[in-house]
Amino acid sequence: MKAHDGMYIGGEWRPAATTDVIEVVNPADEQVIDAVPAGTARDVDAAVRAARAAFPGWKATAPAERAARIAALAGSLAARRDEIAATVTAELGSPLPFAEMVSADLPAGVTASYAELLKGYEFSERVGNSVVHHEPVGVVGAITPWNYPLHQITAKVVPALAAGCTVVLKPAEDTPLVAQLFAEAVHEAGFPAGVFNLVTGLGAVAGQALVEHDGVDLVSFTGSTAVGKGIAATAAASVKRVALELGGKSANVILPGADLERAVKAGVANVMANSGQTCSAWTRMLVDADRYDEAVELAVKAVAKYVPGDPAQPGTRLGPLVNGKQRDRVRGYIERGVAEGARLVAGGPEAPDGLTTGYYVRPTVFADVTPDMTIAQEEIFGPVVSIIRYADEAEALEIANGTVYGLAGAVWCDDEEKAVAFARRMETGQVDINGGRFNPSAPFGGWKQSGVGRELGAHGLAEFLQTKSLQF
Ligand code: NDP
């Protein structure tokens, strides 16, 4: 695609308020592939006004009408599958088959799931002598990151639209092209003008203006915990609701009796997916002392299959990181791990062989990681696995719960009841038992500093509703 040079506001592509642009760079070869307008507070204001104007009409539509538009959107996204996947590969660096699955099929599927959900959703309920109505919150400001750029857009925008809210989206500066494709799909699906609006731009400028705007009723943000805290503080000034989907440092707990080979292989694959740029990645692998050395050996064997390379080439399993800043940040964490005494058993901070251009990082495994180390506490957001030894289950639980985060996790054990009992004691929003599959209709979101609120399925829809009780 060729990027639009304007903003999608009020159902049309309008000229931006300035001529400043953001260049979009292909992380595999560091070449500029396109540019989008760098939105300002004026663009945001125009978009919020359009969303406000569209709100009363959209709120009043029957759920069946909203379901019809959302089903049409799912169809428009599905029809753009190849273009979406190629765009995400070009601007983010995801290997093409992964982009097809996670950045094209998943968002189309999540969108379709809301068309289905709306068919049976009860927007009012009786509570004693009251009827409680669930009504749309109003205008939603959606701010999304680059790591799963279309999934994170659909996980917010689609339930907001399903609820009857109108939306202004500010996507990540690194991945604006797929956001423009989403706007094209919305347009094609026939939503009324102003129901969905897109402003590309920098977080500190356009994002900040959206959070501060008095015409926005709810901010839904996905990204770093640091920026999320700032957004919550800014939103508090006008008592806006916030939904925050933030960072993670999830534990992959391999209990005695687990199928070690399977658990380690799946654990390594989970971290290598998307070059480790996944908020829910199981970056800490917890193994009991008796089988620790065997697990380290298996992890080294598993990670050898992830050879960094051009994500557009068939067969590539590990692409680059999104930009030079993230590459340097991740390499910095690897250096820190070495400096703090962790044992590097695969990878390292140097550029991968033969890949001096592009934002590549060696797939890395650390052994002898202790829970207090920086690499065991902070979100690295790169292809780095930390293997931590535990003496008994009590210690495993203490380590698993011993970070400020609580987004996801995994438990492996030959006794499923035992695995479930352990998972129930974990302070986290999601736990996969013995490799349980991702469920796009199950609530997704964090405990502790991993966030506030839930996305996906009925819980994700409820996020955009508020209640009104009528007494009889
Ligand atoms: P950020 O949290 O900075 O960015 C996420 C989104 O917020 C982007 O759209 C960004 O815009 C926007 N934003 C940034 N600052 C503001 C602001 N002051 N007001 C409103 N919006 C703002 O993530 P980064 O891209 O900087 O990544 C840094 C780290 O964050 C990663 O290394 C990783 O640890 C973590 N991260 C976690 C994610 C998750 O899913 N949990 C997703 C992405 C990152 P812009 O793109 O212009 O910066």
Side-chain angles (χ1 to χ4, degrees):
M1 81 177 267
K2 175 82 191 79
H4 293 273
D5 59 6
M7 307 297 183
Y8 185 73
I9 295 176
E12 60 185 9
W13 292 94
R14 292 190 192 165
T18 72
T19 52
D20 291 351
V21 295
I22 297 171
E23 289 184 334
V24 186
V25 174
N26 182 335
D29 60 11
E30 304 182 27
Q31 297 300 306
V32 174
I33 49 177
D34 219 322
V36 297
T40 62
R42 277 171 57 205
D43 299 293
V44 169
D45 185 54
V48 174
R49 282 171 191 276
R52 280 240 78 87
F55 178 59
W58 186 242
K59 176 186 174 180
T61 52
E65 167 57 15
R66 299 203 292 276
R69 296 280 70 78
I70 289 169
L73 174 59
S76 299
L77 291 173
R80 287 172 167 73
R81 180 181 195 260
D82 292 347
E83 196 180 4
I84 287 170
T87 300
V88 170
T89 294
E91 62 183 350
L92 171 62
S94 291
L96 194 56
F98 189 75
E100 285 168 351
M101 186 174 65
V102 177
S103 290
D105 296 343
L106 176 64
V110 166
T111 303
S113 77
Y114 278 105
E116 276 306 302
L117 186 70
L118 270 181
K119 287 182 189 162
Y121 198 85
E122 297 293 346
F123 283 92
S124 57
E125 59 184 317
R126 189 165 261 285
V127 179
N129 66 316
S130 304
V131 174
V132 180
H133 293 280
H134 298 268
E135 299 189 359
V137 169
V139 172
V140 171
I143 301 176
T144 53
W146 40 263
N147 55 332
Y148 289 92
L150 187 56
H151 171 62
Q152 284 144 335
I153 289 172
T154 52
K156 297 183 185 312
V157 174
V158 177
L161 298 177
C165 294
T166 56
V167 179
V168 176
L169 168 67
K170 202 303 281 179
E173 65 185 89
D174 288 298
T175 53
L177 301 179
V178 74
Q180 291 195 342
L181 282 177
F182 179 78
E184 285 181 7
V186 168
H187 189 80
E188 189 178 272
F191 285 83
V195 166
F196 170 79
N197 308 275
L198 171 70
V199 176
T200 51
L202 300 178
V205 181
Q208 182 78 18
L210 192 55
V211 179
E212 287 174 355
H213 203 294
D214 284 339
V216 172
D217 300 291
L218 181 152
V219 175
S220 179
F221 167 81
T222 299
S224 60
T225 295
V227 171
K229 286 178 183 175
I231 284 177
T234 305
S238 53
V239 199
K240 281 186 185 66
R241 260 170 66 175
V242 286
L244 304 172
E245 163 62 54
L246 308 176
K249 193 73 194 172
S250 297
N252 178 21
V253 183
I254 306 176
L255 292 176
D259 179 341
L260 191 65
E261 192 166 349
R262 198 169 152 235
V264 170
K265 203 172 152 199
V268 169
N270 178 284
V271 179
M272 294 303 134
N274 212 31
S275 298
Q277 303 168 120
T278 305
C279 48
S280 55
W282 310 331
T283 47
R284 298 179 298 146
M285 186 183 289
L286 275 52
V287 187
D288 68 279
D290 284 351
R291 298 201 297 174
Y292 188 83
D293 292 341
E294 194 189 338
V296 171
E297 255 175 54
L298 287 166
V300 170
K301 203 171 125 197
V303 86
K305 298 216 167 77
Y306 295 86
V307 180
D310 182 353
Q313 289 303 315
T316 298
R317 292 176 80 174
L318 192 73
L321 298 198
V322 67
N323 58 37
K325 191 172 144 214
Q326 286 300 111
R327 176 200 52 198
D328 295 346
R329 194 168 171 271
V330 172
R331 288 186 182 171
Y333 272 114
I334 298 173
E335 283 164 358
R336 187 104 180 244
V338 173
E340 290 183 10
R343 180 161 55 100
L344 191 63
V345 291
E350 312 80 18
D353 295 338
L355 289 172
T356 46
T357 305
Y359 307 123
Y360 292 96
V361 171
R362 282 175 190 257
T364 296
V365 179
F366 277 110
D368 298 344
V369 177
T370 54
D372 56 317
M373 288 179 184
T374 306
I375 56 168
Q377 288 294 327
E378 295 186 10
E379 185 174 53
I380 298 175
F381 235 56
V384 182
V385 183
S386 295
I387 314 184
I388 305 175
R389 187 186 277 104
Y390 67 82
D392 53 27
E393 265 189 43
E395 192 187 22
L397 187 68
E398 195 184 319
I399 296 170
N401 289 338
T403 76
V404 296
Y405 296 113
L407 188 54
V411 180
W412 303 81
C413 188
D414 54 348
D415 179 343
E416 194 178 283
E417 255 180 54
K418 218 170 155 187
V420 169
F422 191 96
R424 293 295 305 269
R425 288 184 288 155
M426 289 169 76
E427 297 164 354
T428 190
Q430 286 222 339
V431 185
D432 297 350
I433 307 290
N434 288 325
R437 276 180 306 118
F438 178 69
N439 176 358
S441 293
F444 183 90
W447 290 31
K448 303 195 281 187
Q449 292 193 24
S450 287
V452 178
R454 293 293 178 268
E455 294 194 323
L456 302 177
H459 293 80
L461 180 62
E463 205 65 52
F464 298 101
L465 295 167
Q466 58 190 341
T467 56
K468 180 185 289 166
S469 306
L470 305 186
Q471 282 62 244
F472 296 91

